[in-house]
């Protein structure tokens, strides 16, 4: 279905606030395809967002689910002690570092009940039985991968399409297994390299993701064999996005480097470097979602204060090229840029 879009751009699911029904609907109305993010939502909140999106658009859209992670049993004691200084600074109590499944079974039931046309997965593959249930309900199943091996595993499970996530991408890496001894949690492939390696291994529609913010990026991945391009960072400053003001300002100033960190959540994610990352990234254990719950009150207090130094400023490597505009304007600008890039290919004869 992605190769049938009016414009082959997918708005990435961005958990924690940036993705809204308004953003998803606006992208779909402009000829692209939007994903709601179910991560960290309650089943009731997800249901309400699906209903709201359907009120705003008759176009198709998808929902992204976080696959539950095993409890690694990692020792978080030292990380908690270091985090206490931030809790004192923002005058909050740390959260309870509990393991949970993010209400995954109930949220899967929601997308089945609502007959969501496309359901994607992050952090790993769904079970074979979940794939069967979704297909029986008429849903297209999309799995996000970061390696050729993961792509093969997803294809063997019966995925209908894959999101191929390069290391340039902002936010969490969709690793099937998080290696605690590697800063990025595993092998790091650029999006173009990974796209070609995966295309050589599986025969599925591929959606390229990772640092794509310009129409020329869209043209490049389409030329490399992708059915569509998935963009997240360029929509963080969209009028319809729920991105916090502190996050928007940090993106606009564009003075920070990006890096991987486990400090906020316990899983590797790319964001703008701030004091929190500087202080806590080294030695942060692979313990998701425990660290996510533990640091939650600090993140919320920092965002409420308009302070970017203790919030997760997720963004891809090319974030300085982003801009403020409506989703419709962003899509139109991407179209123009993509056409201009495609025209330059006339040099190849």
């Amino acid at each position: 279905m992605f190769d049938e879009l009016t414009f082959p751009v997918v708005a990435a699911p961005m958990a924690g606030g940036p993705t809204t029904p308004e953003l998803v609907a606006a992208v779909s109305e402009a000829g692209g395809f939007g994903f709601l993010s179910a991560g960290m939502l309650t089943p009731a909140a997800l249901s309400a967002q699906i209903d709201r999106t359907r009120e705003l658009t008759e176009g198709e859209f998808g929902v992204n689910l976080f696959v539950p992670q095993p409890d690694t049993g990692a020792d978080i004691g030292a990380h908690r002690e270091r985090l206490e200084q931030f809790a004192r600074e923002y005058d909050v109590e740390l959260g309870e570092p509990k393991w949970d499944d993010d209400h995954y079974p109930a949220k899967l039931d929601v997308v089945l009940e609502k007959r969501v046309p496309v359901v994607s997965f992050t952090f790993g593959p769904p079970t074979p039985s979940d794939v069967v249930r979704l297909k029986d309900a008429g849903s297209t199943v999309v799995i996000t991968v970061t390696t050729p091996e993961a792509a093969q595993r997803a294809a063997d499970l019966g995925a209908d399409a894959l999101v191929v996530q390069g290391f340039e991408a902002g936010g969490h890496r969709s690793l099937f297994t998080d290696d605690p001894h590697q800063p990025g949690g595993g092998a790091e492939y650029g999006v173009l390299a990974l796209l070609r390696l995966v295309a050589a291994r599986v025969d599925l529609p591929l959606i390229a993701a990772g640092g794509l913010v310009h129409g020329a990026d869209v043209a490049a991945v389409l030329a490399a064999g992708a059915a569509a391009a998935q963009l997240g960072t360029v929509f963080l400053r969209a009028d319809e996005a729920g991105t916090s003001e502190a996050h928007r300002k940090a993106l606009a100033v564009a003075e920070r480097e990006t890096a991987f960190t486990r400090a906020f959540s316990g899983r590797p994610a790319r964001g703008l470097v701030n004091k929190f990352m500087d202080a806590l990234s080294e030695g942060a254990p692979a313990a998701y979602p425990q660290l996510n719950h533990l640091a939650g009150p600090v993140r919320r207090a920092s965002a409420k204060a308009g302070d970017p130094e203790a919030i997760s400023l997720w963004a891809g490597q090319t974030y300085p090229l982003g801009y403020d505009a409506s989703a419709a304007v962003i899509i139109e600008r991407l179209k123009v840029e993509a056409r201009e890039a495609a025209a330059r290919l006339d040099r190849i004869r």
Side-chain angles (χ1 to χ4, degrees), residues 10-14 17-30 32-37 49 52-53 56-57 61 231-243 248 325-328 330-331:
V10 175
M14 297 179 286
T19 291
T20 64
E22 290 74 19
L23 176 61
V24 171
V27 170
S28 293
E29 287 292 299
F33 187 92
F35 272 105
L36 289 172
S37 177
Q49 287 204 7
R52 175 59 177 159
T53 305
L56 295 170
T57 181
F61 61 91
L231 287 66
T233 299
V234 77
F235 291 112
L236 283 171
R237 292 167 62 185
D239 297 344
E240 300 87 349
T243 313
R248 286 177 183 270
S326 68
I330 292 171
I331 291 287

Side-chain angles (χ1 to χ4, degrees), residues 3-96:
D3 54 4
E4 298 174 356
L5 293 173
T6 303
F7 184 52
V9 160
V10 175
M14 297 179 286
T19 291
T20 64
E22 290 74 19
L23 176 61
V24 171
V27 170
S28 293
E29 287 292 299
F33 187 92
F35 272 105
L36 289 172
S37 177
M40 299 182 287
L41 293 182
T42 64
L46 173 60
S47 180
Q49 287 204 7
I50 293 171
D51 291 344
R52 175 59 177 159
T53 305
R54 283 181 168 153
E55 290 175 0
L56 295 170
T57 181
E58 294 182 357
E60 289 192 332
F61 61 91
V63 169
N64 175 259
L65 298 174
F66 285 178
V67 175
Q69 301 300 290
D71 186 348
T72 64
D75 182 2
I76 66 170
H79 187 80
R80 180 170 192 155
E81 288 182 7
R82 292 188 295 158
L83 186 53
E84 286 284 2
Q85 72 182 61
F86 285 90
R88 290 191 294 270
E89 181 177 341
Y90 291 96
D91 194 26
V92 294
E93 296 290 329
L94 293 178
E96 179 61 32

Side-chain angles (χ1 to χ4, degrees), residues 191-248:
V191 61
L192 286 176
L194 184 59
L195 181 62
R196 298 308 307 145
L197 289 168
V198 170
R201 189 152 181 167
V202 304
D203 185 20
L204 289 173
L206 305 179
I207 304 163
L212 312 179
V213 299
H214 191 280
D217 303 332
V218 176
V221 296
L222 294 179
Q230 179 168 286
L231 287 66
T233 299
V234 77
F235 291 112
L236 283 171
R237 292 167 62 185
D239 297 344
E240 300 87 349
T243 313
S244 72
E245 285 305 309
H247 195 169
R248 286 177 183 270

